[in-house]
Every structure is written in C-alpha cells, then in structure tokens.
Amino acid sequence: LISGEPGIGKTVLAEVLTAEAVERGAGVSWARAPETAGAPPYWLWTQTVRNLITAGYPAELRVHLARVPELTRLLPELAYLLGDTPISADSGETEAGRFRLADGIASTLLEAGARRCRAVVLDDLHAADRASLEVLAHVTSRLGQGALLIVGTYRATAEDLTPALQQLLAAAAQKQITLRIELGGLDEVAVRGLLARVTGREVPADFADRVRARAAGNPFFVGEIGKLLLHEGDRAGTSVTRVPPRVRDVLTWRLS
C-alpha cells in the first residue's frame, strides 16, 4: 500500500516496481479508480479481469473461468468468449452473492498467478467504489496462497480517507504480508537533481533549497517550477514565487 499527498510520486513508484516485475518475467495488470462519478460497482476488478483475458490465457485458465459464472456479472462478454458458460443470474445484492463474486475474483487471480507470477496495480484507491474495496479486502485475506502481488495507491489526506478506505486499511493492517509505504517530500539533494533534469542544467544550491521549501519537496510541484524556470530563463526568483499553471489547475480542481 503506497500512500501520500497528490503529486508525491505514488503512481511513479508503482510504475518503477511493475517495470522491474516485467523484467523478471511477471505479468502486470493496471486498473485505476476514476475521479469522476458514474463508474459501475466493482470497476477496479472489471478492468483487472478484462486485462487478464485480453492479455491471453492458457487452456487451464479458460477452464477455471468457465467454473466461475459469477464473473459474467463483471464481464458479460465472458459468456461469448467461453462458449457454454452461463451468465450468472445472481444479482449479487445478497451477502452470499457478493461473497461468491469476491471469492471468484480472488480465485481467478491466484489461478493466473499459478501459471505466471502476477502483479496487479490498483491506482487511486481513495476514489474506488465501496464494492471494489470490499473485494480487495477479501483478496487480501487470500494473499500468500499464490504468486500474486497487489499494489494499491491512495491519497492520505483527511478528505480522501473515506470510511470504506479506512475499513480496508484496517483489514490489511492485520495481515503480516502487508507492506505500508508512506511517501514524503524530496530532500535538498533530490530537488536539485530533479530541477537539473527538468531544466537541462545545474541550478544553485540556494535556489534548489528555496524551491524545496516552496513546494515542500513535492516532486510534481518541483518539476512544474523547473519547467517555469526553463521558460523564464534567469528570472529564478519569479519562478519560485509564482504558481505554475498546471499546479494552479490542480489546486483549483482540488479546492472545488
């Protein structure tokens, strides 16, 4: 579980991790909770199972999918892909129906991991629907039974810690295999290095320190100040005191 404020580098860290997983031969799947309203329940897992299928699957997994008709609630196209698989008539509104769906998702991921170790990234858990988080809690209870890594990112700000997310975090905290990574701001050396990469030249240490203090070490804010510096030439002081356009857009959206 990777947490931190917006722009701190949660998704970037997950990208680096999954790139290494691919190099080691693992299969990788990404799903992102949308910030906008209107996504159906279980949306994170609809994306995950669909990615698994579109990436190709062996005959053994095909047989497994045929034994889990509950998954047709997420992906009606499964009934057509697998031929004789019946579409689940269970509405899923009962506790038993929700449990069977959650267990079917967990079993499918573990079955896929048995053929090829897998990393599943669930980005922006703070924006996920309650149903998706409940499934994640169930999947977490079965981790350790197969070669499966779940990576979840979420904002740790007070307004983003919904009751459903807090319940998930509490459930995950009880598992010995859960690793929590809370990201903080960059130090002076890292800020100076990031500014050098963005601008293409070394920046004075005192200027980098002012940028770090202004942006609280947030990589996104530091990078945007660096881009502003790149466009404004030597007017370094102005670049530090101004709010870059993309940062202003993000802050305005968050405040609204």
Side-chain angles (χ1 to χ4, degrees):
L1 291 167
I2 306 173
S3 64
E5 66 183 31
I8 204 68
K10 302 180 294 297
T11 301
V12 172
L13 179 58
E15 289 172 346
V16 172
L17 185 152
T18 52
E20 182 172 339
V22 170
E23 289 181 1
R24 296 188 181 197
V28 172
S29 171
W30 277 77
R32 179 169 285 109
E35 297 283 356
T36 54
Y42 306 106
W43 181 238
L44 281 177
W45 301 105
T46 299
Q47 296 174 73
T48 300
V49 176
R50 181 175 288 138
N51 290 339
L52 179 63
I53 294 171
T54 56
Y57 49 93
E60 295 87 349
L61 184 57
R62 183 187 182 93
V63 172
H64 168 82
L65 290 171
R67 294 172 179 168
V68 191
E70 290 82 10
L71 293 181
T72 57
R73 286 178 46 210
L74 301 182
L75 296 171
E77 62 264 35
L78 267 180
Y80 301 97
L81 289 173
L82 300 177
D84 297 331
T85 301
I87 295 180
S88 175
D90 190 344
S91 66
E93 295 305 319
T94 65
E95 288 189 8
R98 290 193 294 271
F99 179 87
R100 284 194 295 272
L101 176 59
D103 200 55
I105 292 171
S107 297
T108 300
L109 293 175
L110 290 169
E111 179 71 19
R115 309 299 169 186
R116 180 189 182 191
C117 54
R118 303 198 67 83
V120 175
V121 180
L122 306 174
D123 206 12
D124 292 340
L125 288 177
H126 55 273
D129 59 278
R130 174 178 288 276
S132 287
L133 295 178
E134 289 176 349
V135 170
L136 179 54
H138 183 81
V139 172
T140 300
S141 71
R142 296 191 57 184
L143 287 177
Q145 298 178 15
L148 175 64
L149 171 68
I150 303 289
V151 180
T153 73
Y154 65 96
R155 293 179 189 152
T157 51
E159 63 270 23
D160 290 312
L161 288 174
T162 63
L165 179 55
Q166 289 177 327
Q167 185 176 359
L168 166 69
L169 297 177
Q174 301 175 38
K175 307 299 178 184
Q176 292 288 339
I177 56 177
T178 300
L179 175 64
R180 299 278 289 272
I181 301 175
E182 185 175 353
L183 299 182
L186 303 177
D187 60 20
E188 293 88 343
V189 175
V191 167
R192 191 176 184 186
L194 178 55
L195 288 173
R197 287 196 297 274
V198 172
T199 63
R201 64 177 186 271
E202 292 294 325
V203 298
D206 61 335
F207 175 75
D209 188 55
R210 280 188 290 149
V211 171
R212 185 201 60 78
R214 172 72 166 163
N218 184 293
F220 172 68
F221 297 156
V222 171
E224 291 305 307
I225 291 176
K227 293 175 185 176
L228 198 60
L229 173 63
L230 183 63
H231 291 299
E232 294 193 348
D234 296 327
R235 292 187 293 169
T238 303
S239 296
V240 174
T241 57
R242 283 183 55 193
V243 178
R246 286 185 66 200
V247 175
R248 185 184 297 109
D249 291 342
V250 170
L251 294 177
T252 301
W253 173 76
R254 289 283 289 170
L255 289 171
S256 67

